[in-house]
Amino acid sequence: MRYISTRGQAPALSFEEVVLTGMASDGGLYVPEEIPRLSHDELTAMAGLSYAEIAFRVMKPFVNGEIDDDTFRRLVRDAYATFSHDAVVPLNQLDANHFLLELFHGPTLAFKDVALQLLGRILDHFLAKRGERAVIMGATSGDTGSAAIEGCRHCDNLDIFILHPHNRVSEVQRRQMTTVLADNVFNIAIEGNFDDAQAMVKASFANQDFLNGTRLVAVNSINWARIMAQVVYYVAAAVALGAPHREVSFCVPSANFGNVFAGYMAYRMGLPVKQFIIATNANDILHRTLADNDFSKRDLVATLAPSMDIVVSSNFERLLFEAYERDGDAVRVLLERFQQEPAALAEAPLAKLREMFASHSVDDATILEVIREARHRTQEILDPHTATGYRAAERARADAAVPMITLATAHPAKFAEAVVKAGFPGVPLPPHMDDLLEREERYTVLAAELLAVQRFVAENRR
Ligand SMILES: *Cc1c(COP(=O)(O)O)cnc(C)c1O
């Protein structure tokens, strides 16, 4: 198994190289050269297995023997032992045929833990094998930073530097990052906004001389290993509800499209899926593209579901590559136009996407209404991201007889502000986090100056 770029010009890479590389040199994203198949018998045999064992079997063909089976099993087991629920990602039945797939039982209470707990371990394994060290740099507006830190805190060969805008993230979000007191974890509070922080990270990737040859690694959602890890829970959930003998549908609160693209991979591997519904907040580029063929950027809107606030949906390129029959030139032309001006998909690829995907966009007022409505009908308090999914699942569902699985991407305690706005007294943090507000914090405040940040990274990496 090799990995190829969606823009057709970068060299093909091995699994190890693709995990360490991030974006392809032609500006594209890496995807597997062939999509492995899960046979009917292999899916049938997964019934009743642990999540870690299903994960091992689903991901094995992507890893391509580059990590031996025993080691990979151990990495997977360790990654999912950090989750507080024995099922790792339990299904919660809401009504006759609508289920929540709870992806928020990891260390930071959001679904990104599923991928980042494993990615940190895979990176550390490859670096140890190569006798190398690497530095991770990332900017966060609050949410992903903590999942990346938790994923790397035990890694011997990685140092992680996460920049957040000083005094502009919520206390819970800041503390989820700054109370991790590991020797390889560095939180930098930038005296500026999120865009300042992100610009400095981008500039550091563009010119890495300040690290004197040490590799800089990105753990954002364009890293193939993150997609790979997310394929697993689609398979596990469908098998729990009777696959391969029975179809299911999925509804996915979406932003950069990494999550729902992983579901599409599971479908292409052979999982019987009837429909994918893409839920968006007011930042609705995915919905506009599917519904109106309006593939264009709009200004960012700050919503009650902030982890879905995006202008461009980076992983959508991976789906376009499939819709355009893996024609890298066509994808490159389309995305280059999209960067400059409003674009549109060609007729055939759009028709192909509409066979499997529906979409629905949910504004802030509706998010609050849905949180109240879902509580009334099901007793559940939904987080604002999951609320977009709940509504989209009901509105865009093609067949009520097929079980609908809505992905619950965050724990409501993580986004208590929206829950309070909806009229509830708030949501307590789960027991293993209830002392978060008393724990010791560690972070460094730096001016929004590239050289100051790079000097800090260069001096503190181990
Ligand atoms: C990141 C995130 C999303 C969006 O996921 P994508 O893979 O970017 O589509 C949705 N909900 C929550 C809570 C998130 O953290």
Side-chain angles (χ1 to χ4, degrees):
M1 165 89 70
R2 315 264 307 160
Y3 290 83
I4 57 172
S5 166
T6 49
R7 300 201 188 178
Q9 293 181 337
L13 299 182
S14 67
F15 176 70
E16 175 176 337
E17 289 164 334
V18 99
V19 171
L20 290 167
T21 298
M23 189 178 280
S25 57
D26 58 4
L29 306 184
Y30 277 105
V31 291
E33 192 163 34
E34 288 145 40
I35 298 173
R37 294 287 299 179
L38 285 168
S39 70
H40 195 272
D41 288 350
E42 285 170 311
L43 286 168
T44 302
M46 287 181 190
L49 297 182
S50 70
Y51 185 81
E53 181 58 26
I54 293 175
F56 171 79
R57 294 186 187 192
V58 170
M59 292 188 284
K60 182 175 152 73
F62 294 111
V63 175
N64 195 31
E66 293 174 44
I67 306 176
D68 70 77
D69 284 359
D70 286 348
T71 306
F72 189 50
R73 266 209 172 85
R74 180 172 50 76
L75 297 180
V76 169
R77 233 184 267 136
D78 290 352
Y80 297 116
T82 65
F83 281 58
S84 62
H85 195 294
D86 284 346
V88 181
V89 291
L91 275 170
N92 174 359
Q93 183 155 8
L94 292 178
D95 65 24
N97 221 3
H98 191 177
F99 298 78
L100 279 185
L101 179 59
E102 295 183 353
L103 301 175
F104 52 68
H105 295 279
T108 74
L109 309 181
F111 88 98
K112 291 187 175 73
D113 289 327
V114 179
L116 285 163
Q117 282 298 316
L118 185 65
L119 176 57
R121 287 169 169 84
I122 292 177
L123 282 170
D124 207 35
H125 166 80
F126 281 136
L127 290 166
K129 195 195 80 175
R130 297 160 78 102
E132 289 177 18
R133 302 189 56 80
V135 169
I136 289 176
M137 269 181 91
T140 186
S141 51
D143 199 19
T144 31
S146 58
I149 287 171
E150 284 288 350
C152 296
R153 66 186 295 178
H154 298 298
C155 296
D156 296 331
N157 306 291
L158 280 168
D159 296 310
I160 179 165
F161 296 81
I162 297 293
L163 284 59
H164 70 263
H166 191 35
N167 292 331
R168 294 189 204 209
V169 300
S170 75
E171 183 173 15
V172 167
Q173 288 185 328
R174 185 190 72 239
R175 285 178 162 276
Q176 282 194 308
M177 300 190 282
T178 57
T179 59
V180 178
L181 304 178
D183 288 347
N184 66 334
V185 171
F186 301 90
N187 281 286
I188 303 175
I190 293 293
E191 291 178 313
N193 59 29
F194 171 67
D195 291 335
D196 297 327
Q198 188 160 44
M200 288 188 284
V201 170
K202 275 197 177 152
S204 300
F205 273 90
N207 184 347
Q208 305 180 11
D209 291 349
F210 70 104
L211 285 175
N212 284 324
T214 300
R215 184 191 291 271
L216 195 57
V217 174
V219 295
N220 53 18
S221 71
I222 61 168
N223 192 306
W224 171 257
R226 282 186 59 175
I227 307 283
M228 174 186 84
Q230 294 174 176
V231 174
V232 175
Y233 48 70
Y234 288 90
V235 177
V239 165
L241 292 182
H245 313 288
R246 193 172 170 221
E247 277 188 315
V248 294
S249 292
F250 291 98
C251 179
V252 188
S254 295
N256 272 319
F257 208 76
N259 201 359
V260 60
F261 183 76
Y264 178 75
M265 272 288 110
Y267 162 69
R268 290 288 303 274
M269 289 171 77
L271 196 71
V273 179
K274 172 85 180 175
Q275 185 190 24
F276 290 103
I277 297 170
I278 299 165
T280 74
N281 62 21
N283 297 287
D284 61 352
I285 180 168
L286 291 165
H287 176 57
R288 283 185 287 114
T289 303
L290 269 163
D292 306 324
N293 199 10
D294 168 12
F295 186 41
S296 67
K297 297 184 211 171
R298 295 251 177 98
D299 290 342
L300 188 76
V301 183
T303 74
L304 291 170
S307 299
M308 290 161 58
D309 289 349
I310 46 106
V311 174
V312 175
S313 191
S314 48
N315 276 292
F316 190 55
E317 176 163 349
R318 287 185 159 119
L319 185 66
L320 289 173
F321 187 61
E322 301 301 327
Y324 278 81
E325 310 282 345
R326 301 199 142 208
D327 179 348
D329 288 334
V331 171
R332 179 164 38 81
V333 169
L334 174 64
L335 284 154
E336 280 169 6
R337 165 160 319 143
F338 165 78
Q339 285 306 335
Q340 306 300 322
E341 61 190 29
L345 276 54
E347 222 168 89
L350 183 62
K352 195 168 166 193
L353 292 184
R354 285 174 172 163
E355 285 170 17
M356 271 317 282
F357 292 90
S359 61
H360 189 78
S361 161
V362 179
D363 65 17
D364 271 4
T366 309
I367 286 176
L368 297 178
E369 184 188 305
V370 172
I371 293 174
R372 287 189 287 264
E373 178 191 307
R375 168 72 187 186
H376 181 70
R377 282 167 47 184
T378 71
Q379 301 302 311
E380 291 297 323
I381 297 262
L382 303 181
D383 102 281
H385 307 82
T386 306
T388 69
Y390 183 87
R391 173 57 60 98
E394 299 206 323
R395 291 294 156 90
R397 189 169 183 172
D399 185 344
V402 176
M404 173 59 68
I405 302 171
T406 293
L407 275 54
T409 52
H411 190 290
K414 192 159 185 174
F415 296 95
E417 185 199 335
V419 176
V420 170
K421 264 201 176 142
F424 299 100
V427 190
L429 287 165
H432 66 280
M433 286 181 64
D434 61 8
D435 65 340
L436 184 70
L437 298 185
E438 282 99 57
R439 288 182 202 162
E440 182 187 346
E441 289 188 86
R442 191 156 75 203
Y443 61 95
T444 304
V445 182
L446 291 178
E449 286 168 17
L450 182 62
L451 289 180
V453 169
Q454 291 186 337
R455 194 180 320 118
F456 181 86
V457 173
E459 283 172 1
N460 285 283
R461 75 195 164 97
R462 299 172 307 164

